Structure formats: structure tokens, C-alpha cells
């Protein structure tokens, strides 16, 4: 299942970040995860010319795609990598189509809220689920306060 989506511009600015279910949060500072993704992508690009496209943190997979000066990333908690790569391609197509004018003019730099409707759009298109599906409402879930600490990520990282 897709737990998180992060979209960055080529300067590392977070355009869109969403988690699907409270227990799928990146914690108190999701910007640190966005910075981590941006740094890994830049480092991978400098080394190989193509960047990093998959990172495994224990049972969590981070899949990245670079298109039109944007970095698209999803975190998924299953190993359906090929399926998630296809979904990420579709998500990137939808984002670029939906916000083409704003991206071209870079008008988003004045108001990032223009991207806030994208989460609902992805839910409507059935590309993501609003939560893990174990409970309709996250407030009654025993895992609702669980987050993914960056310390755990560092210790269980494999980069592909």
C-alpha cells in the first residue's frame, strides 16, 4: 500500500506531501524526509547520471521518479515495486497535467496551497487509499500515533 507521496521541485522545495493514515506519518518534521529524498536523488545523480530510483528501509520501500525537473517519491509498505512504479508514473502524469501552468510559470513559489487538492484527486482516482483499511476512522486505530522515526530509517537503509 502507498503510505506517503512527496513531490519536490529541482531545488528541493516540497510542493506536495501527503500521508495516508495517521500511522503512516513521517513524524513531527516531514520536511526532513523531503530533504533526505532530495539529497539522495542529487547524490545518486552525481554518481550515476540517473539518480536513485528505489530505496528499501526494512519493510518500507521508497520509489523515486525524476520528470520535468520534479522529483516524485512514494513510500510503500509492500514489495509490489513494479505496480508502485507504474502508479508513480501515473501520479506524476496527473500532477504535471493538473498543475502544468503553475509549474511552467513557477507561480507556486508564492502559494504552495495550490497543490493541496491533489490528495483528494488521487483518492478520487483510486490511486491511493485514505488509510490502511483496517479501520474506517484513524482515530480508533491502536497504531494512530505510530510514526517512522528517521533514526530507524538510517539503520535499515538499502539503496538500489
Amino acid at each position: 500500500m502507498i503510505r506517503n507521496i512527496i513531490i519536490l521541485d529541482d531545488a528541493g522545495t516540497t510542493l506536495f506531501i501527503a500521508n495516508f493514515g495517521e500511522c503512516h506519518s513521517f513524524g513531527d518534521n516531514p520536511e526532513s524526509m523531503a530533504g533526505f529524498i532530495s539529497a539522495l536523488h542529487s547524490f545518486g545523480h552525481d554518481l550515476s547520471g540517473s539518480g536513485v530510483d528505489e530505496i528499501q528501509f526494512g519493510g518500507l520501500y521508497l520509489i523515486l521518479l525524476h520528470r520535468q525537473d520534479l522529483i516524485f517519491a512514494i513510500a510503500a509498505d509492500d514489495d509490489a515495486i513494479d505496480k508502485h512504479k507504474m502508479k508513480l508514473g501515473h501520479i506524476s502524469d496527473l500532477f504535471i497535467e493538473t498543475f502544468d501552468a503553475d509549474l511552467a510559470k513557477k507561480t507556486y513559489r508564492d502559494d504552495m496551497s495550490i497543490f493541496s487538492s491533489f490528495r483528494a484527486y488521487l483518492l478520487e482516482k483510486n490511486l491511493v487509499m485514505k488509510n490502511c483499511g483496517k479501520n474506517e476512522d484513524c482515530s480508533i486505530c491502536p497504531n494512530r500515533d505510530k510514526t517512522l522515526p528517521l533514526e530507524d530509517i538510517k539503520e535499515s537503509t538499502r539503496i538500489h
Side-chain angles (χ1 to χ4, degrees):
M1 174 189 146
I2 294 176
R3 293 173 52 145
N4 308 85
I5 298 175
I6 300 172
I7 303 172
L8 310 168
D9 71 6
D10 57 345
T13 303
T14 305
L15 306 181
F16 177 80
I17 189 165
N19 61 295
F20 301 94
E22 291 175 32
C23 60
H24 295 165
S25 167
F26 281 129
D28 294 336
N29 188 0
E31 288 294 325
S32 60
M33 182 53 98
F36 177 70
I37 290 168
S38 179
L40 276 175
H41 175 74
S42 294
F43 182 69
H45 189 271
D46 289 348
L47 286 178
S48 69
S50 62
V52 174
D53 63 356
E54 181 185 327
I55 304 167
Q56 182 180 354
F57 307 111
L60 184 69
Y61 296 85
L62 190 63
I63 302 163
L64 287 81
L65 175 66
H66 186 249
R67 290 190 57 214
Q68 294 188 4
D69 296 327
L70 299 173
I71 302 167
F72 296 86
I74 58 172
D77 59 4
D78 58 25
D79 61 359
I81 304 302
D82 291 334
K83 178 178 120 180
H84 294 311
K85 283 183 179 181
M86 288 178 50
K87 275 191 177 184
L88 184 57
H90 191 61
I91 289 167
S92 68
D93 289 341
L94 288 173
F95 189 82
I96 291 168
E97 289 169 16
T98 304
F99 301 107
D100 186 46
D102 296 304
L103 294 169
K105 295 178 188 173
K106 301 205 184 283
T107 56
Y108 61 84
R109 291 183 175 156
D110 297 327
D111 182 14
M112 293 293 193
S113 68
I114 61 172
F115 303 119
S116 62
S117 62
F118 195 59
R119 184 182 193 281
Y121 187 58
L122 293 174
L123 286 164
E124 178 185 310
K125 294 284 187 184
N126 292 318
L127 288 168
V128 294
M129 295 171 26
K130 79 175 190 174
N131 61 28
C132 67
K134 292 179 184 170
N135 295 293
E136 178 65 25
D137 181 3
C138 288
S139 68
I140 62 172
C141 181
N143 294 322
R144 72 182 169 275
D145 297 322
K146 181 179 161 190
T147 60
L148 184 62
L150 289 178
E151 302 310 315
D152 292 350
I153 289 174
K154 289 192 297 189
E155 299 210 4
S156 62
T157 301
R158 281 189 11 201
I159 300 174
H160 302 277

